Amino acid sequence: MSDAEFEAAGLLDGLTGAERESRLRLLRRLDADGCSLDELRSAAAAGRLALLPVERLLARRRRHNLADAAFAAGLTDAFTEGNHRSLGLPLPAHGEPVYDDDHLENLRTLRGMLDSGISEEDMHLMGRVLGQSSHRTAQAVTDILSRALLRPGDTEDDLALRLADLAEAVLPLLDRLTGGVLRLQLDVVQREAVVRLERDTGRLAGARVMTVAFADMAGFTALSDRLTIEQLGGLAARFEELVLEVAEPPVRLVKVLGDGAMFAADDAGALVSAQLALVEHADADELPPVHAGVAHGPALHSAGDWLGRTVNLAARLCGAAPPWTVLATAEVRDAAGDSLRWEPAGAFELRGIAEPVAALRALS
């Protein structure tokens, strides 16, 4: 198509100078990609013209509709639709291609998991968790890349072209990137196995007695719905600074978990005092409410991490702790001696812990 045809179709209306030239570059690219004049007009009318390069790139990879994918993977239509929905994805029109070959292989993997005895309900639960986390990851990556690609004087069409170029180069690598990170996080499988072994046998071979603490910013996930990526990043960065400030020997920082952190120490009193300091500093810095949980008992050291029931208990207490509160078990109080003040905080039903846990609130 010629520039005159674009003009006659109203695709350059109201544009002059650099904006007009940028729009022409976008239209020429879409034309070379096989986009018809009707498609261009329709997209422009819907305000989607700048999205077309990426949309068409993604569409080229999609070869299988839901029904065909279900049949090829040996799954029912009902399960495949339920899985698609659990991932937070809109159901496509009947017969619309939505999956590429890699997605089809993923569905075959799900078929194998079902055959191994995992229930459909649990599969959909896993899908919801993966869908929510993947959506947040995709949004963060897009926001960061878009910001990095912006240049002074850019038009929307300039950005659309750069995003399309980036997507074409990066898209094949995203699965490797995110999959690699997910594999690094799959130490949860090891943690769960250690906890089950400890529960079933009543002992944890190779463990040593440690005090473990978790702290995080309460409600941080909900904040992601109303704050920008820059604001969220600023909060997480300041929280990490405070974490590093309080993690002085004998307290050791085990890992930072975005909006949370894990600590360990041989000295129970020092570890609880560090959590109290973290809560106080976070309050003074006007961060979201910080809360912490502390437990004392046998824990297994593995690849820099700590595993076992004591670790799980500390994490669950952190989740149960009210804002600006440090909760701990009686074992922590006993191990800390007379260095701290405490008050009863009641008993808590904690996920993965068989009996209610009587907790104490540490006082500064």
Side-chain angles (χ1 to χ4, degrees):
M1 282 178 276
S2 67
D3 293 354
E5 289 176 287
F6 295 142
E7 181 89 58
L11 296 170
L12 301 173
D13 288 354
L15 300 178
T16 59
E19 288 190 358
R20 178 185 174 88
E21 288 305 312
S22 178
R23 174 62 61 85
L24 279 171
R25 286 195 298 274
L26 177 60
L27 292 171
R28 290 166 188 155
R29 173 165 176 161
L30 289 168
D31 176 41
D33 196 43
C35 207
S36 70
L37 192 60
D38 284 342
E39 287 179 281
L40 293 174
R41 274 197 295 250
S42 176
R48 290 177 38 256
L49 193 61
L51 301 178
L52 272 187
V54 172
E55 286 182 2
R56 291 179 65 83
L57 173 64
L58 295 175
R60 283 199 295 271
R61 294 166 57 95
R62 294 170 179 159
R63 303 175 51 200
H64 312 283
N65 61 46
L66 283 183
D68 290 345
F71 178 79
L75 295 166
T76 65
D77 288 349
F79 174 83
T80 304
E81 287 188 11
N83 175 70
H84 192 85
R85 193 165 46 246
S86 74
L87 292 171
L89 301 170
L91 287 177
H94 180 71
E96 178 185 352
V98 67
Y99 290 148
D100 61 26
D101 291 342
D102 290 338
H103 295 137
L104 182 56
E105 287 305 311
N106 289 344
L107 288 178
R108 290 184 173 128
T109 300
L110 297 186
R111 171 73 268 174
M113 295 174 73
L114 289 170
D115 290 343
S116 74
I118 300 176
S119 70
E120 290 193 6
E121 292 76 12
D122 282 345
M123 294 293 288
H124 293 326
L125 173 60
M126 183 176 67
R128 282 189 287 273
V129 173
L130 287 173
Q132 291 168 10
S133 61
S134 297
H135 176 78
R136 288 195 296 270
T137 300
Q139 186 63 61
V141 169
T142 301
D143 289 347
I144 290 169
L145 293 179
S146 298
R147 193 167 65 248
L149 291 171
L150 282 172
R151 298 171 188 168
D154 269 350
T155 67
E156 184 180 24
D157 300 317
D158 291 327
L159 181 58
L161 288 171
R162 276 198 218 105
L163 277 176
D165 289 337
L166 183 73
E168 195 153 13
V170 171
L171 197 59
L173 305 177
L174 284 181
D175 286 344
R176 185 187 308 169
L177 174 66
T178 55
V181 173
L182 181 59
R183 285 193 296 275
L184 288 174
Q185 296 290 351
L186 282 181
D187 58 357
V188 295
V189 176
Q190 181 189 19
R191 290 202 295 271
E192 182 64 20
V194 168
V195 169
R196 288 177 179 270
L197 181 64
E198 183 180 12
R199 183 185 62 201
D200 294 343
T201 65
R203 59 188 296 272
L204 190 57
R208 55 181 286 195
V209 174
M210 288 292 292
T211 307
V212 179
F214 283 85
D216 67 30
M217 292 185 286
F220 188 81
T221 301
L223 288 175
S224 63
D225 292 333
R226 58 185 182 85
L227 297 183
T228 66
I229 191 69
E230 294 92 341
Q231 291 171 317
L232 288 171
L235 291 176
R238 182 53 187 148
F239 178 77
E240 184 172 344
E241 290 174 5
L242 294 180
V243 163
L244 291 170
E245 288 175 15
V246 303
E248 296 182 349
V251 175
R252 298 191 293 279
L253 175 63
V254 177
K255 56 187 173 183
V256 177
L257 306 161
D259 61 335
M262 177 184 175
F263 307 81
D266 295 304
D267 186 329
L271 184 54
V272 174
S273 295
Q275 303 312 297
L276 289 169
L278 179 60
V279 168
E280 291 172 2
H281 294 165
D283 190 11
D285 273 23
E286 299 183 348
L287 287 176
V290 171
H291 54 181
V294 192
H296 178 84
L300 180 66
H301 194 238
S302 174
D305 207 348
W306 290 92
L307 313 172
R309 181 183 182 279
T310 299
V311 177
N312 271 20
L313 180 54
R316 300 290 183 259
L317 277 176
C318 175
W324 311 118
T325 298
V326 177
L327 289 185
T329 61
E331 290 81 4
V332 175
R333 177 199 59 195
D334 296 342
D338 299 328
S339 61
L340 296 164
R341 298 183 301 119
W342 306 88
E343 67 179 16
F348 292 84
E349 299 273 356
L350 303 175
R351 181 167 63 88
I353 308 297
E355 301 294 330
V357 175
L360 300 157
R361 177 180 179 178
L363 303 176
S364 54

